[in-house]
Amino acid sequence: TQAVWLVVPAAAQRPVLLPGRPLLGSLHALAHASISLFPLFALCDRWDLGGISTAHHPHTGTATVFIYDGGPGGIGLARYAFEMYPQLLKSVKELIESCPCELGCPSCLHSPKCGNKNSPLDKAGALALARSFLAGEVTEPAVEKRGGVPVGKAAESPGLFPREVPPVSPGGATLHGSVASDGAPRSMSA
C-alpha cells in the first residue's frame, strides 16, 4: 500500500510536552482527526484509510504519524493526502477548535475503527501540533510507496520531508499499520 507520514521534529513537540500530556495521545488524536476529515477532500470514507502513530520511529528518528491507503497497493489516497495536507491540517485545527467537548468525542477525535479503543487521545496536544505545522515550524508531509521506493528526494534537515523507509524486517516485510506496545513497528504483511 502507500502511506503519507508526518515526521514531528522536537520543535513541533515542545508545545505538546507538558506535564500530564503524553506525546503519543497527541499524535494519535491528530491521526484520527486527519483520517476523519480526509473524505471531505477525496471520494472515499474513513474506512479506506488507516493510521498509526509512534512517539519515536526507528526509521525517521523521531515522532511520526502514518496515514495509509487501506487497500493493497493503494488507490492514490496517500498521494492525494500528500498534495493537500496543508488544507487538511487547517480543517483538523478548525474541527478541534470548534468542538465544544473538553477531551475529545465522536464528533472530533474518536474513531469507530480504532484498534486502541480511542486511547490515548489528547485533544489539546493534537491542536498544539496542528498549530505548529500550520505556523510553518515544519513544512510538508512525506509519501512512500510500499516496498521502500521513495517518492521525492531525501531531506537533510528534520521536519515533514520525503524520506526513504527501508523494510521493517528481513524478507521484504514493510510497515503496514501496526505499532507494538513498545513503539516498535510490526508488519502486518510480508
Side-chain angles (χ1 to χ4, degrees):
T1 193
Q2 293 186 332
V4 61
W5 67 92
L6 290 93
V7 177
V8 185
Q13 293 176 31
R14 283 189 203 105
V16 176
L17 297 174
L18 301 174
R21 180 181 288 164
L23 178 60
L24 188 55
S26 303
L27 300 169
H28 190 193
L30 185 67
H32 276 206
S34 298
I35 290 168
S36 73
L37 289 176
F38 188 75
L40 297 176
F41 297 90
L43 187 58
C44 69
D45 74 26
R46 70 185 339 161
W47 293 90
D48 294 327
L49 300 165
I52 58 170
S53 50
T54 178
H56 184 271
H57 191 277
H59 297 303
T60 63
T62 190
T64 309
V65 175
F66 295 87
I67 298 174
Y68 58 89
D69 274 294
I75 59 169
L77 297 176
R79 157 101 17 229
Y80 186 63
F82 175 79
E83 294 169 2
M84 51 70 61
Y85 217 89
Q87 297 96 319
L88 179 60
L89 278 176
K90 183 175 186 252
S91 294
V92 165
K93 179 181 103 35
E94 291 169 357
L95 171 71
I96 296 171
E97 286 176 334
S98 67
C99 188
C101 75
E102 184 179 338
L103 301 175
C105 68
S107 293
C108 64
L109 298 180
H110 291 191
S111 171
K113 59 183 248 168
C114 181
N116 292 323
K117 300 179 183 174
N118 290 299
S119 179
L121 292 175
D122 183 340
K123 182 179 179 179
L127 181 58
L129 284 175
R131 286 177 175 159
S132 290
F133 293 131
L134 292 168
E137 292 178 22
V138 288
T139 56
E140 60 187 56
V143 70
E144 179 257 348
K145 184 173 182 179
R146 189 167 187 178
V149 179
V151 176
K153 59 184 181 179
E156 287 121 20
S157 59
L160 300 177
F161 298 100
R163 298 180 189 267
E164 184 172 346
V165 176
V168 175
S169 62
T174 57
L175 183 65
H176 179 70
S178 180
V179 174
S181 60
D182 64 0
R186 180 184 341 142
S187 177
M188 293 175 59
S189 62

